[in-house]
């Protein structure tokens, strides 16, 4: 009997595709959700690596231009009021407010430094929002995917026990497929969650470093303008 049961179990297709099609509708929905979350997560990860690399290159190029010794007004005229790069936008926000803070007679309106700081802070906040967009999905996936997969597993095991009760048999040919289908849901949950957690931490740290560079530039720029005000 045992040999016969093993033989019957060995004839069952245990490929992931076969296990998916044999699963109950609820478990299928869980699997599809986890597969979709995994693909979406990887799309965000790849896009963020591309965006962060571009942001670092743009910041380095602007930093070289800013410290090249070129007058700030001339650099601003080249950059324009609505540039594309993040570092350029922060610089443009400060310079735009600097120019608006001058009266027609050339005198500065009181509180210019505070307004320039606020303008650059707003620009930095907008860039931070862009950099971090999508990271929340990775955090959510990392936190919830294992539990969604576990739900699929519990539901699949429940279905397996129902099949055992209906067939009045506990041999491997009856038990193994249902248990395997259930465990696939857990595996998919981990497959979605593990990369999401790893890359969320990595990308969050990269974002913090980029934002620290923007904030450091804003502080240096404000210091330069303050010297001109005191001169």
């Amino acid at each position: 009997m045992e040999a016969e049961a093993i033989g019957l179990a060995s004839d069952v297709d245990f490929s992931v595709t076969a296990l998916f099609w044999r699963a109950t509708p609820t478990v299928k929905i869980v699997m599809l959700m986890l597969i979709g979350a995994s693909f979406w997560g990887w799309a965000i990860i790849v896009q963020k690596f591309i965006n962060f690399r571009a942001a670092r290159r743009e910041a380095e190029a602007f930093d070289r231009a800013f410290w090249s010794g070129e007058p700030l007004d001339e650099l601003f005229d080249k950059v324009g009021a609505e540039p594309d790069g993040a570092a350029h936008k922060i610089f443009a926000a400060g310079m735009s407010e600097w120019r608006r803070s001058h009266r027609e007679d050339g005198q500065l309106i009181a509180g210019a430094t505070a307004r320039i700081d606020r303008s650059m802070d707003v620009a930095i906040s907008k860039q931070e929002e862009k950099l971090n967009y999508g990271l929340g999905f990775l955090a959510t996936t990392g936190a919830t995917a294992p539990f969604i997969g576990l739900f699929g597993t519990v539901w699949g095991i429940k279905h397996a026990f129902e099949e055992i009760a209906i067939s009045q048999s506990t041999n491997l040919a009856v038990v193994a497929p249902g248990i395997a289908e259930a465990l696939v849901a857990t595996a998919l949950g981990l497959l979605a969650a593990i990369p999401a957690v790893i890359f969320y931490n990595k990308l969050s740290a990269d974002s913090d470093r980029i934002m620290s560079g923007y904030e450091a530039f804003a502080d240096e720029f404000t210091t330069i303008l303050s010297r001109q005000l005191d001169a």
Side-chain angles (χ1 to χ4, degrees):
M1 288 293 293
E2 182 178 352
E4 181 181 355
I6 293 173
L8 290 172
S10 65
D11 293 335
V12 178
D13 186 356
F14 284 98
S15 66
V16 175
T17 304
L19 292 173
F20 172 80
W21 287 115
R22 284 201 303 266
T24 64
T26 301
V27 178
K28 284 180 181 177
I29 292 172
V30 169
M31 290 181 179
L32 289 174
M33 288 176 57
L34 293 171
I35 291 171
S38 181
F39 276 108
W40 196 324
W42 277 108
I44 291 173
I45 290 165
V46 172
Q47 186 62 49
K48 286 302 174 186
F49 270 106
I50 294 172
N51 291 346
F52 286 7
R53 178 178 293 182
R56 285 191 291 267
R57 288 179 177 176
E58 185 266 340
E60 290 170 0
F62 175 76
D63 196 55
R64 288 193 296 269
F66 183 80
W67 296 108
S68 65
E70 182 178 7
L72 296 181
D73 285 322
E74 293 181 11
L75 180 60
F76 179 56
D77 290 336
K78 290 181 180 179
V79 169
E82 296 292 337
D84 294 328
H88 289 81
K89 286 182 181 294
I90 297 167
F91 169 72
M95 283 299 297
S96 295
E97 185 58 41
W98 166 260
R99 288 189 173 180
R100 285 195 295 266
S101 295
H102 286 79
R103 297 193 184 96
E104 294 183 0
D105 60 1
Q107 296 297 316
L108 276 172
I109 302 172
T113 302
R115 288 193 301 275
I116 292 168
D117 278 338
R118 283 197 298 271
S119 296
M120 288 193 291
D121 286 342
V122 170
I124 290 172
S125 296
K126 290 179 179 179
Q127 297 310 312
E128 183 177 16
E129 184 177 353
K130 289 182 180 179
L131 284 176
N132 292 334
Y133 181 78
L135 295 185
F137 178 81
L138 295 181
T140 301
T141 300
T144 61
F147 298 103
I148 295 173
L150 182 60
F151 168 76
T153 297
V154 171
W155 193 271
I157 291 175
K158 179 185 80 70
H159 177 69
F161 279 116
E162 290 173 354
E163 291 293 325
I164 292 171
I166 293 170
S167 65
Q168 296 293 313
S169 174
T170 58
N171 65 50
L172 289 175
V174 175
V175 176
I179 300 299
E181 294 159 17
L183 293 176
V184 168
T186 296
L188 289 174
L190 295 175
L191 185 66
I194 292 172
V197 171
I198 292 172
F199 285 104
Y200 171 77
N201 293 329
K202 160 68 175 169
L203 293 171
S204 293
D206 290 346
S207 176
D208 289 342
R209 282 192 289 270
I210 293 172
M211 293 308 304
S212 295
Y214 292 156
E215 291 169 356
F217 163 73
D219 291 339
E220 292 169 347
F221 183 55
T222 303
T223 301
I224 292 172
L225 295 182
S226 296
R227 292 196 194 102
Q228 294 189 21
L229 290 173
D230 295 337

